[in-house]
Each structure stands twice: as C-alpha cells, then as structure tokens.
Amino acid sequence: MSDKNDHIKDLSRRHFLRNSAITGVAGAGIAGGFGAGAMMGSRPAEAASNNDHHVEPGELDEYYGFWSGGHSGEVRILGVPSMRELLRIPVFNVDSATGWGITNESKRVLGENAPLNGDTHHPKVSYTDARYDGRYCFINDKLNTRVARIRLDIMRADKIVTIPNVQAIHGLTLQRVPKTEDVFAVGEMIVPLNNNGQNMDDTSEYWTMMTCLDADTMEIKWQAIVDGNLDNCDTDYTGRFVAASCYNSSRGMTLPEMMGPERDWTVIFDVPAIEQAVANGNTTTLGDSPVPVVDAREQAHDGRNPFALYVPTPRSPHGVNTMPPEGKYCVVSGKLSPTCTVIEWSRVAEWFDGGLDDPRDTVVAEPEVGLGPLHTTFDDRGNAYTSLFLDSQVVKWNVEDAIRSYNGDEVNYIRDRIDVHYNIGHIKASLACSRDVDGKYLTALCKFSKDRFLPVGPMHAENDQLIDITGQQMKLVHDGPTYAEPHDALMIRADQLNPSQVYTRDDPYFAETVAMAEADGIELETANTVVRDGNKVRVYMTSVAPNFGLTEFRVKQGDEVTVVVTNMDNIADVSHGFAMVNHGINFEIHPQQTSSATFIAEKPGVHWYYCSWFCHALHMEMSGRMLVEPA
Ligand code: RUQ
Ligand code: CUA
C-alpha cells in the first residue's frame, strides 16, 4: 500500500493529467491510456485471500450473477465465481433457440410491431426490505426507450413497456424499502416536450424526465420534468428518495456544449412529495400520453423546489450508488472529474424538510480517487471500490476516512489500487446493492480486452474480470470473456433465487393460448387435432419424448396456421422444440409448457417439422409432415 506521500504525489499526477482527461477522453483513455496503470508503482504481488474461487466440475456456484447483454438486447445469468454463462434471457431481441420474438406468447409481451432489438444496461433484481426477494429482474432498453420485467421463476420477460415523452431510458433502479413497488427509469436524451416536429429548432426548450412505474402492474405512475439530462440512478434505504446523475446540465446539443460547466448535478427526487402532487391532481399531461407529469424544474417553483434537489456535482457525473448495508451515503462518480461525491441521505431529508439552505451541504466528502471514475461499489467493511476508466484500475477507498479528510483531517483514505484489463466501466461487488453485502467478490466489467484472449477478428470480447476483495489488497482471480456488451451486473446469493424446473399448467405466460384452446373446445393436455375457422387453422398437439401427438396435418395454401404444442413431459430438462422447415418457425416447449406460433402456409407441398431440442435417443425421429394442398 502506498504511504501518504505516495498518495500526494499520485494526486498531483492526476491534477496534471486532468486536462487531458477533459479535453480528450478517447485519446487519453483508449489510444494512450492503457499504460497509466504501470505508473502506479509497486504493489505486493501476492495478496491475502479467504475465498476458494475455484468451482470444480460438478460443483455449484455460490452466486447467481445477472448480466446485461447490452446491444445484444439480452439479460444473461452467470454463475459466480466460476463466471460460467448459465442462461441467456432474450428480452429486446429475436432468439432463434427459444423462439422469443417468434412465438405468440412472446409477441404478446413484446407488443404489436415492437422493435426486435434493444440495448440493455442495468439489470435490477427486486427487493423486500432491501434484500433480494427473487421475484423479478427489471431491465432498461436504451435503444427503444423501454423497460422490461423478467419473471425469475421461469426466466422470461412478462411485461415490456414503452416509456412515452422521453428518449433513451438509461439508468434504472428500484425502490428497496419496504419492498420494490416503484421502478425508476431515467430518460437520457433531451427532446422537445411535445416532440411532434413543430418545435425542433429552439433547443432551449428540450427537456427530459424521471419516470416511475408500478412494479406490480408495470403501469406508469408519473413523470417529472427536470433541468438538464439524466444518466444513472439509485434509491436510498428508506423508500423516500431516488437520485440521478446529470452530465448535461447545460442542455448542450454537442459534446463541447455538454462539457461546458465545471459542475453538473446530482438530482434527487422526493418521491412522496411527487406522489402527493399526483394524488392532488397538480399535474399536466403531454401530447397523447395520459401519464401525469409534475414539473421538477427550478423555474417552476418560487423558492424551494418541493420535488427535486439539484446538488452541484463535478463534472459530468456518471454512476450513482448507495452504500450498504444501512444505506447512509450515496456515492456519485465524477467521470471527467477525478473525484467521487459522497452525499449523506439524512442531509437530503434535512434539505427537503427545510433544515439546510445550500444543496452542497448534503455533500460530506469528495475524495480524489483517480482518472475517469465511472461507478462505485462496496464491501461490508466500510470500503468503496470505484472503477477508473482512464486509469484502467479499481481503487479501493474508505468512506469514513474520506469524510474525515473532507473535514480537514490528514488522513489517507486510499486503501489499494489494482490494474484491470482494460478500461473498466461498471463494477459490482457481491450483494453490494443490498443489506446482505458480503464483501467477497467484485466484478470489473472492462470495455476492452485487447491482448487478453485469442484474437477472433476485428470484434473483440469484453473482459469481465473477477476480483477477490476479502483481503486488504484486491486480487484478480479470473478473466471472463463476454459477448457485446455487458454494461452492468449484479450478484445475488444462490439461495436467494428459486427458479421453477417445470411449468405449472396455469402459468399466466401462456394463459391466452389456453383461453384460445378453450374457446375451440380443446383440452390441450390430450388433444391432437386440427380446428378450421375460415382460412385460419389451429393445429393442436402434444409432445412426449420422442413423439409429437400429430405426425401429419393438412392445410390449404394461403391458410393462416397456428401450431400449438403442449409438452406433457414432466421431468426437469426434458424440453422439446417445434421447428417448421423453410418457414422460419422454431420455438421452445419446456416441461408442462404450451407454446404456439402463427405463420402463413404459402408454399404447396410437403413440409417437415421436427423437434429442435435434443430430448431422447430417438430425437431425430421426432418429426412430422405438414401437407399443404394447392389453392
Ligand atoms: S452506464 S459504464 Cu450504461 Cu451503466 Cu456506466
Ligand atoms: Cu423432442 Cu427432441
């Protein structure tokens, strides 16, 4: 560990480098920045560790990790510490293996004419009393301004909502206490409030909003217009506040305009105050949207803004992370400033209750941590870990010592630094967004892998590294290549999730398909039959390894055919698939599940269908023919 003098020398180097960080992020960070870590001086090669991070074949991981799949549109589940990918949950994409985006059940969730791609950033698992309760995972789609909810029993999305009046949902976070009832989603890009093409040139009238959804119904409860833009967000541990970073307080249209101010903001919302305004009807609506909108801009209020507190925060702040286990502080990472800003939640309450005058009085520390701080996570021993994009490092610092230093004490709050490979974005320690924070592992989600893996062409893997944080010094224990592009991840204990092995027949995911069968007088569990309704044909069959209930069915050219398959196998892992050759149809049917897809039988002739999930020694023989009679 560096002593205090090293620390001071280190900071002056950072002051020196600060301008280059501001004037050329790409230049400093990507082209020339990889060597910065080497300047950090000596660090013991071997660090103490209490973790046995090796997972033998046949052993199970200690944690479920939820990873965003970025512009793949997915959410992924990894086992930690093995970092083995266990599942890809399709959400804002079309998935060939599961039939997501192809089955009628998934199309109902996606909605009519839904875009079939997306950009996921921030998976968040629901809470009860700030502990993971294993019910849902929520995920944003920055690309198409949506929020999805994934059921964690069947690991499929069951609700997808397009957020009106804003563009590009980026930050997403959940109410923690008493449980997740509110989902907060921030619009990143500023746009005209009635974005209908009539008012595009006056950029001083571009705005964005915080959106609140009901976690149970996924209805939008309210939106709040803000000054500036919004980026990342997090809630406190009382259920009252949500804070979001703003990197474009000047509401600039171009990069130089956005980077103008020395300080932007952390914007903190008083949720009960907004809810009261909504209940009182002190709201407006925008365009066709029925969502109640409150005005949380400073200009809308004489004197104290009852809805939002704007805490000046240096400079283009990015990550917003509440410190567990009590949730006393919120750490906002500076990005273009080498600092983190520590805000005390109880002082935020004081400000809203009229006790503080200067919004900066909510700040209790502003430690200098290194270049390009993006996100911060925590252990259970009072330490914070901040990702440094430009330094390609993780820095460990002590929060109470940083507060002492801010108050004038001579104290070195930096505890350790470790090089990561390379240019880290998100960072997350095990259970660090919950009361159960355990200080064991940390994932470092690196945006560049460069030389760490075999080259596979122009596109490189990302590198999600695993760091053991049990000792005084951090220890890198695993490199994990991942596909485009995990922005964020979180880890929950294996015992905090209890996924189903087999569907129940009354699962709401396929309830509409069951209702359709009932209207046809069909009992899905036994029926193997064809129902004709004009030129609509519904083909009902079961699957029991290695047989489909129908080995042939007959339709007419031009018919709209809906194939409904019910998997009567009742054993975990015995899944079937239904694949119709030359029709672009393939979908999953897991034990006790009903799945369906609809297509037009355009081509006369014989078309084979087959089972696409290997289910039995006679899996290849599990097939049948669709006979299409010429019109
Ligand atoms: S953001 S690398 Cu999309 Cu989470 Cu910070
Ligand atoms: Cu059924 Cu393969």
Side-chain angles (χ1 to χ4, degrees):
M1 259 197 285
S2 48
D3 68 17
K4 193 175 204 167
N5 290 341
D6 284 352
H7 169 57
I8 287 161
K9 262 187 260 156
D10 191 35
L11 286 182
S12 46
R13 180 184 76 89
R14 283 159 206 290
H15 281 302
F16 173 73
L17 286 174
R18 188 172 178 178
N19 284 333
S20 72
I22 291 165
T23 53
V25 177
I30 296 163
F34 289 128
M39 296 164 65
M40 294 313 301
S42 60
R43 183 175 180 281
E46 211 32 54
S49 152
N50 304 320
N51 279 342
D52 179 14
H53 55 84
H54 190 69
V55 181
E56 290 285 336
E59 281 182 6
L60 301 182
D61 278 296
E62 215 178 320
Y63 303 94
Y64 286 104
F66 288 82
W67 254 246
S68 92
H71 35 281
S72 75
E74 306 162 344
V75 169
R76 299 182 191 140
I77 298 183
L78 272 64
V80 180
S82 75
M83 304 291 272
R84 292 168 189 148
E85 185 180 289
L86 305 175
L87 185 70
R88 296 182 169 200
I89 304 171
V91 186
F92 303 111
N93 60 336
V94 174
D95 182 54
S96 186
T98 59
W100 185 260
I102 293 164
T103 62
N104 296 325
E105 294 71 36
S106 62
K107 284 178 170 175
R108 283 176 204 131
V109 176
L110 283 156
E112 281 296 313
N113 304 317
L116 294 174
N117 58 358
D119 183 11
T120 62
H121 286 235
H122 302 110
K124 296 284 154 92
V125 171
S126 56
Y127 298 98
T128 297
D129 189 29
R131 298 191 148 93
Y132 292 119
D133 62 18
R135 288 183 297 148
Y136 296 118
C137 176
F138 297 85
I139 185 76
N140 73 304
D141 170 20
K142 177 170 171 176
L143 178 64
N144 295 303
T145 316
R146 292 179 289 182
V147 175
R149 181 177 76 182
I150 297 165
R151 280 175 52 193
L152 294 184
D153 53 349
I154 60 167
M155 302 293 176
R156 288 289 173 269
D158 74 334
K159 295 270 187 198
I160 292 181
V161 179
T162 301
I163 309 299
N165 305 324
V166 293
Q167 273 183 23
I169 294 298
H170 184 234
L172 182 96
T173 195
L174 307 178
Q175 179 186 1
R176 287 188 172 88
V177 174
K179 70 184 185 72
T180 298
E181 288 170 346
D182 290 342
V183 177
F184 299 100
V186 310
E188 182 176 343
M189 314 299 189
I190 54 175
V191 288
L193 278 184
N194 264 317
N195 195 14
N196 55 12
Q198 299 304 307
N199 44 4
M200 297 188 285
D201 294 318
D202 181 5
T203 60
S204 71
E205 286 300 325
Y206 285 26
W207 307 95
T208 193
M209 295 191 272
M210 169 64 86
T211 298
C212 178
L213 297 97
D214 182 305
D216 291 315
T217 63
M218 289 296 277
E219 270 156 28
I220 301 174
K221 293 168 79 171
W222 50 261
Q223 296 186 300
I225 313 173
V226 291
D227 295 307
N229 81 333
L230 296 172
D231 187 11
N232 281 294
C233 55
D234 202 4
T235 53
D236 70 346
Y237 277 58
T238 71
R240 178 169 176 189
F241 299 118
V242 57
S245 54
C246 159
Y247 66 78
N248 187 13
S249 57
S250 48
R251 287 185 293 119
M253 296 295 114
T254 62
L255 190 141
E257 287 168 13
M258 291 183 198
M259 296 210 317
E262 274 297 324
R263 278 173 173 173
D264 294 289
W265 297 306
T266 305
V267 187
I268 306 177
F269 300 85
D270 188 348
V271 177
I274 294 173
E275 282 175 350
Q276 192 57 54
V278 172
N280 295 346
N282 296 333
T283 55
T284 51
T285 56
L286 294 170
D288 307 334
S289 155
V291 175
V293 172
V294 302
D295 197 337
R297 292 173 294 187
E298 294 291 77
Q299 63 180 42
H301 305 280
D302 289 334
R304 199 169 288 242
N305 184 335
F307 304 132
L309 160 63
Y310 293 81
V311 181
T313 306
R315 164 172 200 177
S316 294
H318 187 63
V320 179
N321 300 92
T322 294
M323 181 174 174
E326 292 97 12
K328 204 169 166 194
Y329 305 113
C330 179
V331 176
V332 186
S333 309
K335 191 166 79 184
L336 300 189
S337 162
T339 54
C340 283
T341 299
V342 183
I343 293 170
E344 187 166 351
W345 283 113
S346 63
R347 294 197 186 208
V348 171
E350 266 183 73
W351 187 90
F352 275 104
D353 299 341
L356 295 178
D357 283 328
D358 183 352
R360 280 287 297 181
D361 287 344
T362 60
V363 174
V364 295
E366 206 147 72
E368 298 218 26
V369 294
L371 289 181
L374 286 185
H375 295 274
T376 298
T377 190
F378 306 92
D379 64 19
D380 56 344
R381 306 180 294 279
N383 299 306
Y385 301 77
T386 299
S387 60
L388 301 174
F389 179 83
L390 298 179
D391 279 339
S392 281
Q393 286 188 328
V394 173
V395 56
K396 173 181 176 181
W397 52 281
N398 183 273
V399 177
E400 290 301 336
D401 278 357
I403 293 169
R404 266 176 229 124
S405 165
Y406 191 73
N407 291 333
D409 287 3
E410 295 247 333
V411 51
N412 179 10
Y413 44 79
I414 302 290
R415 291 289 189 272
D416 189 29
R417 295 177 189 276
I418 188 171
D419 291 344
V420 291
H421 311 87
Y422 301 90
N423 296 82
I424 177 174
H426 270 279
I427 185 172
K428 199 60 65 66
S430 39
L431 291 111
C433 300
S434 78
R435 272 197 217 294
D436 295 317
V437 57
D438 64 5
K440 287 169 90 169
Y441 290 104
L442 179 158
T443 52
L445 276 59
C446 299
K447 305 287 190 189
F448 292 76
S449 65
K450 284 179 75 86
D451 52 4
R452 299 292 280 195
F453 308 111
L454 282 175
V456 286
M459 187 168 117
H460 290 240
E462 317 283 301
N463 187 10
D464 293 351
Q465 295 187 302
L466 190 71
I467 295 172
D468 182 333
I469 56 169
T470 51
Q472 288 217 323
Q473 274 119 33
M474 293 173 275
K475 186 183 178 195
L476 178 63
V477 295
H478 189 88
D479 270 18
T482 45
Y483 182 66
E485 175 192 327
H487 287 262
D488 194 7
L490 65 89
M491 285 172 250
I492 79 174
R493 274 199 327 267
D495 64 59
Q496 291 178 311
L497 197 62
N498 186 22
S500 313
Q501 299 294 297
V502 170
Y503 276 84
T504 55
R505 291 296 305 144
D506 58 358
D507 196 295
Y509 182 58
F510 48 79
E512 275 192 51
T513 310
V514 171
M516 177 183 79
E518 273 168 14
D520 278 341
I522 292 292
E523 194 183 323
L524 285 168
E525 293 78 6
T526 53
N528 288 291
T529 187
V530 174
V531 174
R532 177 170 283 279
D533 168 11
N535 66 346
K536 293 187 188 342
V537 178
R538 291 183 284 277
V539 180
Y540 293 100
M541 68 176 89
T542 56
S543 64
V544 178
N547 292 291
F548 285 121
L550 289 176
T551 53
E552 64 170 82
F553 64 87
R554 204 170 274 268
V555 299
K556 291 200 184 67
Q557 183 181 8
D559 280 344
E560 182 196 279
V561 180
T562 299
V563 175
V564 183
V565 187
T566 297
N567 184 358
M568 292 313 294
D569 277 309
N570 200 0
I571 300 166
D573 213 4
V574 181
S575 297
H576 303 285
F578 179 90
M580 178 65 77
V581 174
N582 291 345
H583 284 75
I585 295 294
N586 182 32
F587 57 80
E588 61 188 348
I589 326 122
H590 300 296
Q592 297 290 302
Q593 184 179 15
T594 294
S595 297
S596 69
T598 300
F599 57 93
I600 306 292
E602 266 165 0
K603 291 162 272 191
V606 174
H607 303 277
W608 282 91
Y609 52 88
Y610 65 92
C611 174
S612 56
W613 288 71
F614 213 111
C615 55
H616 191 275
L618 295 170
H619 156 80
M620 301 305 294
E621 289 82 351
M622 187 169 173
S623 59
R625 288 169 303 144
M626 173 173 74
L627 310 172
V628 182
E629 293 170 353

